[in-house]
Amino acid sequence: MGFPTSLKLKPPVRGCTASTATRSLCLPMRMRCRCSLNTGDPSPPPQPLMTVSITGATGFIGRRLVQKLLSDDHKVCVLTRSSSKAASIFPASTYRGVTIAEEGDWEACVKGSSAVVNLAGMPISTRWSPEVKREIKQSRINVTSKVVNYINDADSRPSVFVSATAIGYYGTSEIHSFDESSPSGNDYLAEVCREWEARARQVNQEDVRLVLIRTGVVLGKDGGALAKMIPLFMMFAGGPLGTGQQWFSWIHLDDMVNLIYESLKNPAYRGVINGTAPNPVRLSELCERLGQVVGRPSWLPVPEFALKAVLGEGASVVLEGQKVLPVRAKELGFSYRYPRVEDALKAIARDL
């Protein structure tokens, strides 16, 4: 997998260190000023600059979201349990608009933010043991509960809370399609998603706009299930995974980040929004398209036992799919950079 061309960051705004997190993040939002010699110029109104607290900022989606926010001169507070890891990913010399906050400083950061994004959670594209399954659930529920409590306890609350969840909410099916109005499934991932969302819904929605993004399989070279699938794909001559008939509801990393960003800025974005591309595909088509863009044949299937050897019970993420449609995003007029999987894969293949 691979990113399209990397974002070109504008010179970042002057940042702060963890020791000054409370003081700097309690400043009100600044306004971007635009001047025009022509007073009749119908330029858009100035956009408020945000301070955004992010859990999971060091992850696959979070890293790109931080870049996106900094490129538009917003400030970011990285809520982390490992300041050393965060500092290695966001070095102060390059990411001057970033504050790194360990758990003891989370509350101050959240209370001084104009927006909060919750992306934390142990990856599910791994081998599942009973202990791992407990951690998959608790890592999501515990962090979400903590962030919601900090928001609710703030004297001046952030205006928007964007919390990631997953299309696993709907369960799996080879014949049915799902949208934001569909009921939840009855398997393990559906249970995780229901509890995850329930904690996010405890935020005070009288003055905090809540957006729940049910994320599909995010395509990019540096993370997610596809990063583990590609070596198997190449080893087995590019054939389908399992039966190949399962649905694959995907979204390119750039579109996922843009959807989160739009959710932060646009007050029309509210409630559940499916974070998927408008054209889901069968897994056999995904493999065929990927074979075409990387120049490999697509004829020898990757057997289930090979995936299960790598992912264990977590192989259900790719062996059992669901057709999820982004009805709400389309109603809101969200513009996809990669609406079709072949275009997304071509962009990814350029960086493999």
Side-chain angles (χ1 to χ4, degrees):
M1 295 177 290
F3 296 123
T5 54
S6 59
L7 288 171
K8 183 177 181 182
L9 301 184
K10 299 178 183 177
V13 295
R14 184 175 180 85
C16 55
T17 63
S19 62
T20 60
T22 303
R23 182 173 67 253
S24 63
L25 288 173
C26 289
L27 294 174
M29 289 190 297
R30 296 177 292 118
M31 299 296 290
R32 181 179 298 149
C33 297
R34 293 186 177 92
C35 299
S36 173
L37 294 177
N38 180 3
T39 57
D41 181 13
S43 58
Q47 295 294 313
L49 292 181
M50 298 180 289
T51 296
V52 185
S53 286
I54 306 176
T55 68
T58 61
F60 177 43
I61 300 171
R63 293 192 303 270
R64 179 60 69 84
L65 177 62
V66 170
Q67 291 180 339
K68 175 73 172 178
L69 288 165
L70 293 181
S71 73
D72 280 351
D73 294 336
H74 303 292
K75 287 189 175 182
V76 173
C77 184
V78 172
L79 306 181
T80 181
R81 289 183 293 181
S82 173
S83 59
S84 59
K85 177 182 178 181
S88 68
I89 294 172
F90 306 113
S93 59
T94 307
Y95 293 87
R96 295 181 182 174
V98 169
T99 298
I100 294 174
E102 288 198 312
E103 286 191 79
D105 295 320
W106 284 21
E107 183 173 9
C109 284
V110 168
K111 290 183 175 181
S113 295
S114 47
V116 178
V117 178
N118 179 31
L119 301 174
M122 179 181 179
I124 62 172
S125 55
T126 185
R127 291 187 62 85
W128 291 357
S129 64
E131 294 77 17
V132 167
K133 289 174 75 172
R134 282 194 295 273
E135 179 62 19
I136 286 173
K137 179 187 287 188
Q138 291 305 315
S139 65
R140 288 160 170 78
I141 291 173
N142 292 346
V143 170
T144 303
S145 295
K146 182 178 293 188
V147 170
V148 165
N149 289 339
Y150 291 153
I151 293 172
N152 288 345
D153 290 344
D155 293 330
S156 179
R157 299 186 180 102
S159 62
V160 56
F161 177 41
V162 178
S163 191
T165 170
I167 60 172
Y169 175 92
Y170 301 112
T172 62
S173 176
E174 289 189 2
I175 59 174
H176 298 295
S177 61
F178 304 95
D179 62 27
E180 290 86 351
S181 66
S182 300
S184 182
N186 54 15
D187 58 14
Y188 164 72
L189 287 180
E191 174 188 321
V192 170
C193 292
R194 284 196 302 274
E195 294 191 32
W196 193 5
E197 292 187 10
R199 296 304 174 97
R201 292 181 191 276
Q202 291 176 1
V203 75
N204 187 326
Q205 295 182 53
E206 291 184 4
D207 51 7
V208 179
R209 179 168 54 87
L210 174 63
V211 185
L212 294 169
I213 300 182
R214 292 179 182 157
T215 309
V217 181
V218 182
L219 302 184
K221 78 177 178 69
D222 291 330
L226 197 56
K228 295 186 177 182
M229 291 160 56
I230 283 179
L232 286 174
F233 178 92
M234 302 299 284
M235 183 186 306
F236 286 89
L241 307 172
T243 67
Q245 292 305 300
Q246 61 271 47
W247 282 100
F248 192 82
S249 294
W250 60 278
I251 186 169
H252 191 282
L253 177 60
D254 283 355
D255 283 328
M256 184 65 211
V257 168
N258 287 338
L259 183 62
I260 296 171
Y261 191 40
E262 195 65 24
S263 297
L264 290 171
K265 298 189 302 175
N266 191 332
Y269 284 61
R270 184 184 296 271
V272 175
I273 300 174
N274 286 334
T276 59
N279 297 291
V281 294
R282 300 278 186 180
L283 202 53
S284 57
E285 180 181 348
L286 173 80
C287 292
E288 181 180 356
R289 298 290 187 183
L290 187 55
Q292 291 171 354
V293 298
V294 299
R296 296 296 299 265
S298 181
W299 58 273
L300 182 61
V302 178
E304 286 192 18
F305 76 81
L307 275 177
K308 288 180 177 178
V310 175
L311 299 178
E313 192 180 350
S316 63
V317 175
V318 292
L319 291 174
E320 302 172 14
Q322 60 272 97
K323 182 181 182 182
V324 178
L325 302 175
V327 170
R328 186 70 184 122
K330 292 175 71 175
E331 289 175 347
L332 289 164
F334 178 74
S335 177
Y336 288 88
R337 184 175 180 183
Y338 301 104
R340 298 192 175 277
V341 75
E342 54 266 35
D343 296 325
L345 293 175
K346 285 176 184 176
I348 290 165
R350 285 196 294 268
D351 291 337
L352 285 177

